């Protein structure tokens, strides 16, 4: 079976024969399973490998286990430790035969042992490891309601039996909670739950009588676990140990970083703690390394906006600015643009803080203010690296702006971000920080403003008839609506009863035309620049959002929420 799977991967272009030879050598020397070697080296994704398993072995393949229930006989006989160790969970029973989900069908011994434990025949079904782990978490009650269960081993005063001094922090797997100290089990459970919810941030917010955990999903905060006050300091200490922060310092803000594993995937975590009146508040920013870099075609651009951006990114020189608040998808847009340009003919270099995604074929530099590697210093160094295309993570001061502009004027294409409410305000911001108008007018070729709007959940999407007042607020007329109806999410288990699932971007693209250059040279304010741009055909954020509403992607309420500062 293994040979057939490897031959299929080679035949379909996923592996080279040299990689297969190396894989077999490592398997023989180190005793690792071949599928684990494939995943660790990122040669083949788990989804792809399971698809090949499915076609070669003819085993059923379930990508989502949320609608399955585990037979009671399974949980009575099989321990959570066994299920977690071997990634096996029952998803059904028919005439005495158990259907067992596995992500490693070639691990015959655990499956044989499970058949012995159950005293029954087994039919195996393929499923992703995260789905199996999530189901194990659900059926063995390690979910939101399991805080008290996980805190067994802590006395009434909050003393910890063991924080986990022997815990390997450099290889911390949040799925590996068996035999861990109570606090470690609790923190791991919180992190795993947040990742399953697709959270971007986890907040540990102290109150007078409790420590509240809140997850930010699709830009909105949701309360999840409620942790007893007696273990607040223990949880905070665990987080600071993970982030390699000073556990004795509680009076000053601190920053930390770590990497956690979720099975075979890795998630970068940035931690920040600040002292409050009820204890230290800790916020974790999660960055999933396994997430793919989006292509320009996949980030929510309308055909017209796509053509505009695709034209600008192929210019030989100039500055392209992407603007918006924190968490509005600016970095995703920049990476999508760089991926479009990435080729052997171009030397592409970036300087970022932090490096959020690693792009093959592109040199990426991490800012380090402590070591003197600021954006301005790094940008000067980049100019001596013979670049064709440069990306500067953010323009924060006049010095960085001037160097970026000089780079654009000397034949380089420069991408960067800046924090403003809309595209015209970005031009004004450059003028305000001291850049001369003629330099801005001659170097900036386009400004892209963006926001993220939540997408209506496909599982509970329903039609509704909007009121005239709703339509007027977003600039639509009833004649523009197909069949007189729009869509809204009713709320279901899959979308946490919100009616939304995932996000897409809305855009405002300002080409620096001759009319806009005239306004810049006159040192005009953002309002006048915006009026000139709209007269020349620029679509504002709210206009683009209205189109997303007409297409059934989002709702009027959601577009109004993220474009409240958008005035024409």
């Amino acid at each position: 079976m293994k040979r057939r799977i490897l031959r299929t991967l080679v035949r379909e272009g996923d592996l080279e024969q040299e990689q297969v030879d190396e894989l077999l050598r490592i398997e023989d020397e180190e005793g690792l399973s071949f599928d684990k070697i494939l995943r660790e080296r990122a040669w083949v994704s788990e989804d792809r490998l399971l698809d090949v398993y499915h076609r070669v072995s003819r085993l059923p393949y379930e990508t989502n286990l949320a609608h399955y229930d585990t037979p009671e006989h399974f949980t009575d006989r099989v321990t959570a430790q066994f299920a977690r160790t071997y990634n096996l969970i029952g998803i059904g029973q028919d005439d005495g035969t158990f259907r067992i989900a596995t992500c490693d069908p070639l691990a015959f011994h655990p499956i044989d042992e499970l058949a012995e434990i159950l005293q029954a025949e087994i039919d195996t079904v393929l499923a992703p490891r995260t789905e199996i782990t999530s189901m194990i978490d659900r059926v063995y009650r390690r979910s939101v309601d399991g805080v008290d269960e996980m805190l067994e081993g802590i006395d009434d005063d909050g003393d910890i039996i063991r924080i986990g001094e022997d815990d390997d922090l450099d290889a911390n797997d949040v799925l590996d909670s068996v035999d861990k100290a109570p606090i470690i089990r609790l923190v791991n459970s919180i992190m795993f739950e947040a990742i399953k919810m697709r959270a971007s941030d986890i907040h540990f917010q102290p109150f007078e009588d409790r420590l509240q955990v809140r997850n930010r999903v699709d830009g909105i905060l949701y309360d999840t676990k409620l942790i007893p006050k007696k273990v607040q300091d223990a949880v905070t200490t665990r987080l600071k140990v993970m982030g390699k922060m000073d556990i004795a310092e509680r009076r000053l803000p601190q920053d930390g970083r770590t990497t956690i594993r979720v099975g075979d995937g890795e998630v970068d975590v940035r931690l920040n703690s600040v002292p409050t009146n009820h204890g230290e508040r800790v916020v974790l920013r999660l960055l999933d390394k396994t997430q793919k870099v989006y292509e320009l075609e996949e980030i929510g651009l309308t055909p017209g906006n796509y053509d505009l951006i695709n034209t600008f990114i192929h210019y030989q020189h100039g500055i392209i600015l992407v603007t918006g608040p924190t968490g509005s998808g600016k970095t995703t847009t920049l990476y999508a643009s760089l991926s479009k340009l990435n080729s052997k003919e171009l030397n592409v270099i970036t300087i970022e803080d932090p490096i959020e995604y690693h792009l093959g074929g592109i040199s990426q530099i991490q800012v380090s203010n402590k070591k003197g590697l600021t954006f301005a210093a790094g940008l000067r160094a980049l100019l001596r690296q013979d670049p064709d295309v440069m990306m500067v993570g953010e323009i924060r001061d006049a010095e960085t702006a001037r160097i970026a502009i000089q780079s654009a004027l000397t034949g380089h294409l420069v991408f960067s971000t800046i924090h403003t409410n809309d595209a015209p305000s970005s031009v004004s911001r450059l003028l305000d920080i001291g850049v001369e108008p003629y330099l801005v007018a001659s170097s900036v070729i386009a400004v892209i403003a963006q926001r993220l709007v939540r997408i209506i959940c496909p599982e509970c999407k329903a039609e509704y008839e909007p009121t005239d007042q709703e339509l007027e607020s977003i600039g639509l007329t009833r004649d523009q609506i197909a069949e007189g109806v729009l869509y809204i999410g009713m709320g279901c288990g899959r979308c946490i009863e919100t009616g939304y699932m995932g996000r897409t971007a809305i855009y405002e693209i300002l080409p620096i035309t001759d009319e806009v250059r005239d306004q810049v040279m006159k040192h005009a304010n953002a309002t006048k620049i915006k009026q000139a741009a709209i007269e020349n055909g620029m679509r504002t954020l709210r206009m683009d959002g209205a189109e997303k509403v007409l297409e059934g992607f989002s709702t009027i309420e959601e577009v109004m929420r993220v474009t409240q500062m958008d005035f024409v």
Side-chain angles (χ1 to χ4, degrees):
M1 178 68 71
K2 178 178 72 176
R3 295 283 182 180
R4 289 171 61 195
I5 288 167
L6 291 174
R7 281 200 299 270
T8 303
L9 290 169
V10 172
R11 185 174 65 250
E12 296 183 359
D14 296 286
L15 286 177
E16 301 290 339
Q17 187 58 48
E18 293 79 9
Q19 291 174 306
V20 172
D21 295 339
E22 184 180 352
L23 182 150
L24 295 174
R25 178 186 60 77
I26 296 171
E27 184 183 37
D28 184 55
E29 291 177 359
E30 301 183 18
L32 299 174
S33 62
F34 85 99
D35 56 337
K36 184 173 184 180
I37 298 168
L38 286 175
R39 290 193 300 268
E40 284 185 349
R41 281 160 175 71
W43 288 346
V44 178
S45 68
E46 184 188 53
D47 288 344
R48 177 66 179 143
L49 188 58
L50 288 175
D51 178 62
V52 174
Y53 272 140
H54 164 62
R55 289 187 284 116
V56 171
S57 67
R58 310 248 179 217
L59 289 172
Y61 181 20
E62 294 286 348
T63 58
N64 188 344
L65 302 180
H67 55 286
Y68 283 104
D69 290 318
T70 299
E72 192 174 327
H73 183 70
F74 184 96
T75 51
D76 287 344
R77 292 203 167 215
V78 181
T79 65
Q81 180 175 352
F82 182 93
R84 286 179 181 281
T85 302
Y86 298 112
N87 296 297
L88 297 170
I89 188 66
I91 62 170
Q93 187 178 9
D94 186 23
D95 295 332
T97 299
F98 282 86
R99 297 184 73 214
I100 304 296
T102 178
C103 57
D104 188 5
L106 300 187
F108 300 116
H109 295 302
I111 294 173
D112 290 343
E113 187 177 345
L114 182 61
E116 191 69 30
I117 293 170
L118 294 171
Q119 291 292 297
E121 291 188 7
I122 284 176
D123 285 338
T124 51
V125 176
L126 300 172
R129 179 175 179 183
T130 52
E131 287 293 318
I132 294 171
T133 305
S134 180
M135 191 165 182
I136 292 171
D137 194 67
R138 172 159 51 93
V139 302
Y140 285 100
R141 296 177 55 237
R142 292 195 182 277
S143 61
V144 176
D145 302 322
V147 172
D148 292 338
E149 175 193 347
M150 282 178 277
L151 291 180
E152 291 174 2
I154 297 180
D155 65 23
D156 291 336
D157 296 325
D159 289 337
I160 308 164
I161 289 179
R162 170 172 79 89
I163 285 185
E165 294 82 358
D166 58 340
D167 191 32
D168 182 3
L169 293 171
D170 291 329
N172 187 38
D173 190 336
V174 295
L175 305 185
D176 182 19
S177 293
V178 181
D179 294 333
K180 297 290 186 185
I183 294 300
I184 295 177
R185 291 211 315 271
L186 176 59
V187 171
N188 284 359
S189 171
I190 290 168
M191 288 187 170
F192 175 62
E193 182 185 323
I195 291 165
K196 282 299 294 179
M197 288 176 69
R198 303 174 292 103
S200 60
D201 303 83
I202 310 173
H203 293 235
F204 291 83
Q205 183 171 355
F207 289 89
E208 187 175 359
D209 59 344
R210 70 191 188 279
L211 178 64
Q212 181 69 59
V213 181
R214 311 173 78 195
N215 292 342
R216 188 177 293 280
V217 182
D218 293 335
I220 306 296
L221 276 172
Y222 299 95
D223 288 351
T224 54
K225 281 185 170 60
L226 191 154
I227 299 173
K229 189 72 173 179
K230 67 179 183 180
V231 297
Q232 175 178 310
D233 288 345
V235 170
T236 303
T237 298
R238 171 59 185 170
L239 292 169
K240 290 167 81 171
V241 167
M242 289 179 65
K244 300 177 178 60
M245 299 152 73
D246 184 356
I247 62 174
E249 179 56 75
R250 300 185 177 187
R251 298 167 300 169
L252 296 173
Q254 291 190 66
D255 290 303
R257 301 190 71 165
T258 188
T259 298
I260 59 174
R261 288 209 317 271
V262 186
D264 295 308
E266 286 193 344
V267 178
D268 272 341
V269 183
R270 279 182 280 160
L271 302 91
N272 176 264
S273 68
V274 294
T276 72
N277 56 333
H278 294 305
E280 285 187 283
R281 175 177 178 147
V282 184
V283 175
L284 281 62
R285 168 63 58 90
L286 307 178
L287 187 68
D288 191 349
K289 285 183 174 181
T290 62
Q291 281 191 331
K292 68 169 187 173
V293 175
Y294 287 94
E295 299 295 331
L296 206 56
E297 294 84 356
E298 301 172 325
I299 59 175
L301 291 165
T302 62
N305 282 344
Y306 172 82
D307 290 340
L308 268 177
I309 291 181
N310 194 41
T311 299
F312 290 132
I313 67 173
H314 285 93
Y315 275 33
Q316 295 297 306
H317 55 84
I319 296 180
I320 298 174
L321 292 173
V322 183
T323 186
T326 301
S328 59
K330 300 187 297 293
T331 304
T332 299
T333 299
L334 288 174
Y335 280 156
S337 301
L338 292 179
S339 295
K340 192 80 171 176
L341 292 172
N342 193 6
S343 68
K344 294 179 181 178
E345 290 77 28
L346 292 176
N347 179 20
V348 183
I349 308 178
T350 74
I351 178 161
E352 307 169 58
D353 183 23
I355 296 172
E356 295 193 18
Y357 299 99
H358 294 279
L359 301 172
I362 290 177
S363 299
Q364 296 171 269
I365 300 169
Q366 170 75 54
V367 164
S368 176
N369 290 324
K370 288 182 180 178
K371 298 176 182 176
L373 181 54
T374 61
F375 277 120
L379 193 48
R380 283 196 210 92
L382 292 195
L383 291 173
R384 294 190 287 273
Q385 290 286 317
D386 185 31
D388 297 297
V389 179
M390 297 184 291
M391 184 185 98
V392 186
E394 184 182 345
I395 291 179
R396 297 176 178 171
D397 52 47
E399 185 182 11
T400 307
R402 285 197 179 93
I403 300 169
I405 286 171
Q406 291 300 333
S407 303
L409 294 175
T410 52
H412 304 91
L413 183 62
V414 181
F415 293 87
S416 190
T417 68
I418 194 167
H419 287 284
T420 57
N421 287 326
D422 56 16
S425 298
S426 299
V427 178
S428 299
R429 176 64 56 82
L430 290 175
L431 300 177
D432 291 341
I433 63 176
V435 181
E436 292 77 3
Y438 73 90
L439 288 176
V440 175
S442 57
S443 62
V444 180
I445 56 176
V447 183
I448 304 164
Q450 64 181 87
R451 297 287 188 281
L452 293 179
V453 294
R454 291 180 290 172
I455 299 171
I456 300 170
C457 173
E459 296 292 321
C460 59
K461 189 174 184 178
E463 295 180 350
Y464 88 106
E465 189 172 334
T467 65
D468 290 337
Q469 188 177 358
E470 285 179 306
L471 293 174
E472 185 181 348
S473 68
I474 201 172
L476 292 175
T477 62
R478 201 164 291 278
D479 295 339
Q480 294 176 272
I481 306 174
E483 300 177 4
V485 296
L486 295 177
Y487 296 91
I488 195 170
M490 303 304 293
C492 64
R494 187 180 176 195
C495 62
I496 332 174
E497 302 299 331
T498 63
Y500 298 99
M501 184 78 174
R503 289 188 290 180
T504 189
I506 57 174
Y507 294 90
E508 176 180 286
I509 301 176
L510 171 65
I512 306 300
T513 59
D514 290 339
E515 290 80 3
V516 174
R517 285 194 184 93
D518 289 342
Q519 296 290 338
V520 173
M521 293 299 293
K522 294 174 185 175
H523 216 298
N525 60 30
T527 303
K528 290 184 178 179
I529 294 174
K530 189 167 190 172
Q531 288 171 348
I534 291 173
E535 288 171 5
N536 279 281
M538 184 186 82
R539 294 168 52 81
T540 67
L541 286 164
R542 189 166 291 180
M543 292 175 187
D544 198 40
E547 189 160 335
K548 293 287 193 297
V549 171
L550 289 175
E551 292 171 352
F553 285 119
S554 195
T555 64
I556 293 175
E557 179 186 18
E558 179 65 7
V559 171
M560 292 297 292
R561 180 180 70 85
V562 302
T563 62
Q564 56 191 336
M565 299 297 292
D566 183 23
F567 301 109
V568 177

